[in-house]
Amino acid sequence: MRKVSIGKQDYESLIKSGCFYVDKTYFIKEWWESQDDVTLITRPRRFGKTLNMSMLECFFSNKYAGRSDLFEGLSIWNDEKYRQLQGTYPVIFISFAEIKANNFKDTKNDMVSVINDVYKQHSYLLEDDMLTDAERNLFRQLDDYSNNTNVNKDISNETIYRAVKNLAAILYRKFEKKVIILLDEYDTPMQEAYVNGYWNELVDFIRSLFNSTFKTNPYLERAVMTGITRISKESIFSDLNNLNVITTTNDEYNTSFGFTENEVFAALDEAGLSEKKDDVKLWYDGFTFGKHKDIYNPWSITNYLDKKEFKTYWADTSSNSLVGKLIQRGSPKIKKAMEKLLNGEYITVGIDEQIVFDQLDNDEDAIWSLLLASGYLKVDSMDICVSTGEQKYELSLTNLEVRVMFQKLIKGWFMTGDDSSNEFISALIDGDLEAMNYYINEITLNGFSSFDVAGKDESRIRPENFYHGFVLGLMAGQRNTYIIKSNRESGFGRYDVMMIPKQSTSESGKKLPAIVLEFKVKRDSEKSLEEAVEAALKQIEEKRYDEEILALGIEKERIRHYGFAFEGKKVLIG
């Protein structure tokens, strides 16, 4: 097995080291022959975007002229036309991957630093007599600003907007060839702007920068941008009518990012892990790009090849803070949809691939678009309504790695810093009412003050729905032992939560009960929490919620009923 290098994103370094590499050089040919002026390709994080952009630079940049050693033996080198093309263009390579400031001013400063680094890469131009005084001054101005530690420093927006275009003009004069521009992780600053509340400021700034760089730039040969999300055209691409956008639902470049199943299985054979193919497929397969299914996440595959352990490698490379925020503060409809996904089911929703971050708080369906673009969901099928043209997608969790990640994420929201959550679940299964009441009140006392109970619009959300979602979160870790359902019909009504054991006994030999939960928020008409508990238990009996469990052959004596009564942070279970 070739040495597996983890996280190496520099193409030259990877090839020279002889490390494990899956040949993606055919992407060069596919992109070049597309003839598109500006191409935006969106893929989830850790899917080889940066490595492929580095590969494009090594192939086209005149800085790498004569470097056949970087491509010999790979698919692109089989074509004589492309052998002649290698190393023949000036290239500007920019990355926004590290621009993650929590305010607009620092983001602007970081962008200047990134652009200044690009100018430094072409500092050899300063030795050429062809530069005008204004162009030399621009080199100095960007460098002086980047190295100035004064918090009150300033540089005009116009200087930044035109900086990349001006560099392209100089390179065009120098080499008498138009310039290829590569912009990696273009949307990283945009996501940070949404999370930290300076979206509108950055949108205006980025729009002007992109207009100058990609639209009104006569020195541009072609450009590629990569990112995770397709931010709406109206937000930052309104002036770019020469842009071809390739998302995860398009067929173009559908195997250029990520590993195909054949590529993964060949790597497992090389590593002597052929017998692990089924397990690897369960954990890391499931991504779908266009019509091509069975795409694997390369980060998880390379880590597994290196460590030979099944872990949530890809899921652990991000804090998932944006996803967590949207789900945690989402409506009951969103929480119920997440519950279906965690149960291995699919949801049917509309998808708008043009993500408008400032609408995420108001548009419930926008979260599914974000989760799909980010790789957490996959498309199982798509249907178009003939009369309206509306597209409906059936989506499910991508694979076991993603499912485990969400279980950890949701469980983490309800942890109190001690073992109260685990103790509550143990008491629930053991039937220890006293312990259940003690631990649930410990959890609510410590957790409810910081939890966004009703989201943005409290008038739309019944109090029971919040408590319902809260208790479901506590149960996130029980899905290996129980089938957990909620708001389903059984008997003559709809129960709140039902826990159906997957086997009759636990690993320790204990008999596992089936459990029915009903939630009540104390109303003014009820004098006490005790009365609310009685009302919940009475509803379970009168509506005959046990019917679904009994139909599965589970004995009546193994079924437990629990009524939960809530009043603010106070909880009583009977």
Side-chain angles (χ1 to χ4, degrees):
M1 178 69 190
R2 289 166 289 170
K3 174 65 178 173
V4 176
S5 173
I6 303 300
K8 194 183 288 290
Q9 297 178 310
D10 180 77
Y11 178 83
E12 179 186 17
S13 174
L14 187 64
I15 296 301
K16 286 179 65 177
S17 66
C19 289
F20 172 76
Y21 173 68
V22 173
D23 184 358
K24 297 293 179 180
T25 58
Y26 56 84
F27 168 59
I28 299 168
K29 183 175 181 179
E30 185 179 3
W31 171 66
W32 192 251
E33 295 187 357
S34 73
Q35 297 292 318
D36 294 323
D37 288 342
V38 183
T39 307
L40 168 60
I41 303 173
T42 66
R43 289 293 183 267
R45 57 190 167 78
R46 302 287 184 177
F47 255 81
K49 297 188 295 294
T50 300
L51 181 59
N52 273 358
M53 293 286 264
S54 176
M55 176 184 71
L56 288 179
E57 182 187 29
C58 287
F59 187 82
F60 287 102
S61 175
N62 50 23
K63 181 172 68 173
Y64 293 93
R67 293 298 305 276
S68 61
D69 59 303
L70 297 178
F71 298 96
E72 287 173 346
L74 300 173
S75 62
I76 193 66
W77 217 243
N78 295 327
D79 193 321
E80 178 62 29
K81 170 187 171 182
Y82 285 89
R83 293 187 190 185
Q84 299 302 318
L85 190 60
Q86 193 273 325
T88 58
Y89 278 88
V91 174
I92 296 174
F93 188 0
I94 308 165
S95 174
F96 284 172
E98 300 303 319
I99 301 180
K100 299 178 180 180
N102 60 11
N103 62 81
F104 173 70
K105 185 175 182 180
D106 287 345
T107 296
K108 177 181 172 181
N109 290 342
D110 288 346
M111 284 189 175
V112 175
S113 294
V114 166
I115 293 171
N116 182 55
D117 286 342
V118 173
Y119 267 70
K120 283 183 175 180
Q121 292 168 22
H122 296 278
S123 59
Y124 59 87
L125 294 167
L126 291 169
E127 300 172 8
D128 202 305
D129 294 337
M130 70 167 191
L131 259 67
T132 66
D133 290 342
E135 288 167 340
R136 293 180 188 280
N137 184 56
L138 181 56
F139 273 83
R140 285 192 295 270
Q141 189 178 1
L142 290 170
D143 197 49
D144 289 346
Y145 183 86
S146 298
N147 293 309
N148 186 350
T149 59
N150 188 333
V151 294
N152 296 316
K153 65 182 180 179
D154 197 21
I155 188 171
S156 75
N157 286 344
E158 287 298 322
T159 299
I160 307 171
Y161 298 156
R162 294 198 299 264
V164 179
K165 179 179 178 178
N166 287 339
L167 180 58
I170 300 169
L171 290 170
Y172 175 71
R173 291 206 319 275
K174 171 70 175 177
F175 297 108
E176 298 181 346
K177 246 187 173 180
K178 290 187 177 182
V179 178
I180 294 172
I181 298 178
L182 307 174
L183 174 55
D184 193 33
E185 303 290 358
Y186 87 100
D187 58 336
T188 297
M190 308 302 295
Q191 293 196 39
E192 295 299 321
Y194 166 71
V195 172
N196 292 290
Y198 58 96
W199 170 263
N200 290 331
E201 283 181 288
L202 189 60
V203 162
D204 293 339
F205 185 86
I206 289 284
R207 186 190 298 118
S208 297
L209 174 63
F210 284 4
N211 181 55
S212 178
T213 302
F214 300 112
K215 173 61 177 176
T216 62
N217 187 351
Y219 315 105
L220 175 67
E221 175 65 36
R222 298 189 197 178
V224 180
M225 286 186 276
T226 65
I228 295 173
T229 53
R230 175 186 179 179
I231 295 173
S232 76
K233 185 176 177 65
E234 289 71 23
S235 293
I236 60 175
F237 296 125
S238 58
D239 296 322
L240 269 64
N241 55 15
N242 59 340
L243 176 68
N244 184 25
V245 181
I246 310 298
T247 68
T248 58
T249 61
N250 293 105
D251 278 323
E252 294 169 85
Y253 315 120
N254 58 14
T255 62
S256 297
F257 299 82
F259 296 161
T260 65
E261 188 156 277
N262 288 338
E263 290 166 344
V264 170
F265 285 3
L268 292 172
D269 290 339
E270 181 182 342
L273 297 168
S274 301
E275 75 283 358
K276 297 295 185 180
K277 289 176 182 176
D278 288 343
D279 292 334
V280 169
K281 184 177 179 66
L282 176 67
W283 269 83
Y284 306 122
D285 182 22
F287 296 91
T288 299
F289 298 153
K291 296 184 182 68
H292 202 292
K293 298 182 182 294
D294 297 318
I295 298 289
Y296 290 68
N297 172 262
W299 179 259
S300 295
I301 294 300
T302 51
N303 272 276
Y304 176 74
L305 290 171
D306 183 50
K307 300 174 178 62
K308 301 176 178 58
E309 296 179 59
F310 290 104
K311 293 183 178 180
T312 52
Y313 298 110
W314 176 69
D316 290 343
T317 59
S318 170
S319 66
N320 302 304
S321 57
L322 175 56
V323 172
K325 170 187 172 183
L326 293 171
I327 297 173
Q328 191 174 2
R329 296 184 180 181
S331 70
K333 178 182 174 183
I334 288 174
K335 291 185 173 71
K336 290 170 188 174
M338 279 304 304
E339 179 202 345
K340 288 184 68 176
L341 292 169
L342 285 168
N343 278 330
E345 302 173 50
Y346 66 83
I347 59 172
T348 303
V349 295
I351 291 294
D352 182 358
E353 291 187 280
Q354 293 198 81
I355 293 173
V356 184
F357 277 90
D358 56 349
Q359 292 179 7
L360 284 171
D361 288 327
N362 304 313
D363 182 358
E364 288 191 344
D365 283 340
I367 185 175
W368 310 122
S369 301
L370 180 65
L371 291 177
L372 177 63
S374 302
Y376 299 116
L377 298 178
K378 62 180 178 181
V379 177
D380 292 325
S381 66
M382 187 272 286
D383 188 43
I384 301 177
C385 177
V386 177
S387 60
T388 65
E390 183 182 14
Q391 295 180 337
K392 286 291 184 181
Y393 291 80
E394 288 186 357
L395 306 176
S396 60
L397 292 181
T398 305
N399 51 35
L400 180 58
E401 179 180 24
V402 172
R403 189 185 311 281
V404 171
M405 182 274 288
F406 272 118
Q407 287 175 346
K408 289 179 181 177
L409 185 69
I410 293 172
K411 187 176 180 181
W413 298 337
F414 302 95
M415 299 301 285
T416 60
D418 55 25
D419 291 329
S420 297
S421 301
N422 292 332
E423 295 291 351
F424 167 75
I425 293 297
S426 296
L428 175 74
I429 294 172
D430 292 342
D432 188 339
L433 266 177
E434 183 178 353
M436 285 173 66
N437 277 285
Y438 173 78
Y439 287 115
I440 194 72
N441 280 280
E442 283 287 298
I443 295 166
T444 57
L445 182 65
N446 290 303
F448 277 14
S449 60
S450 60
F451 195 93
D452 189 354
V453 175
K456 296 285 183 184
D457 185 357
E458 295 188 8
S459 63
R460 293 188 296 112
I461 301 176
R462 294 170 59 235
E464 285 92 340
N465 286 325
F466 164 68
Y467 295 115
H468 189 153
F470 174 77
V471 176
L472 279 175
L474 294 176
M475 297 171 180
Q478 300 304 308
R479 295 182 185 274
N480 289 334
T481 309
Y482 278 92
I483 298 170
I484 301 172
K485 299 182 175 183
S486 72
N487 284 315
R488 308 290 179 86
E489 290 185 4
S490 182
F492 299 112
R494 298 177 70 89
Y495 53 79
D496 279 338
V497 175
M498 183 177 287
M499 299 176 65
I500 303 172
K502 293 183 177 180
Q503 58 273 331
S504 58
T505 59
S506 66
E507 292 180 0
S508 61
K510 288 184 180 179
K511 278 243 176 186
L512 290 172
I515 298 172
V516 182
L517 311 180
E518 187 66 28
F519 307 123
K520 294 290 182 185
V521 173
K522 186 173 116 28
R523 308 296 181 188
D524 293 337
S525 60
E526 294 157 340
K527 296 179 180 178
S528 64
L529 286 172
E530 286 79 5
E531 285 188 15
V533 167
E534 288 303 318
L537 293 171
K538 184 179 179 181
Q539 182 172 322
I540 294 174
E541 292 289 349
E542 289 182 347
K543 300 292 186 180
R544 294 169 61 178
Y545 291 156
D546 290 354
E547 293 293 330
E548 181 178 343
I549 300 173
L550 294 169
L552 296 172
I554 296 176
E555 307 87 349
K556 180 72 175 176
E557 56 270 21
R558 278 181 62 200
I559 304 175
R560 295 211 194 111
H561 299 165
Y562 291 115
F564 283 62
F566 296 92
E567 183 182 20
K569 294 186 182 185
K570 297 178 184 177
V571 189
L572 180 66
I573 305 172

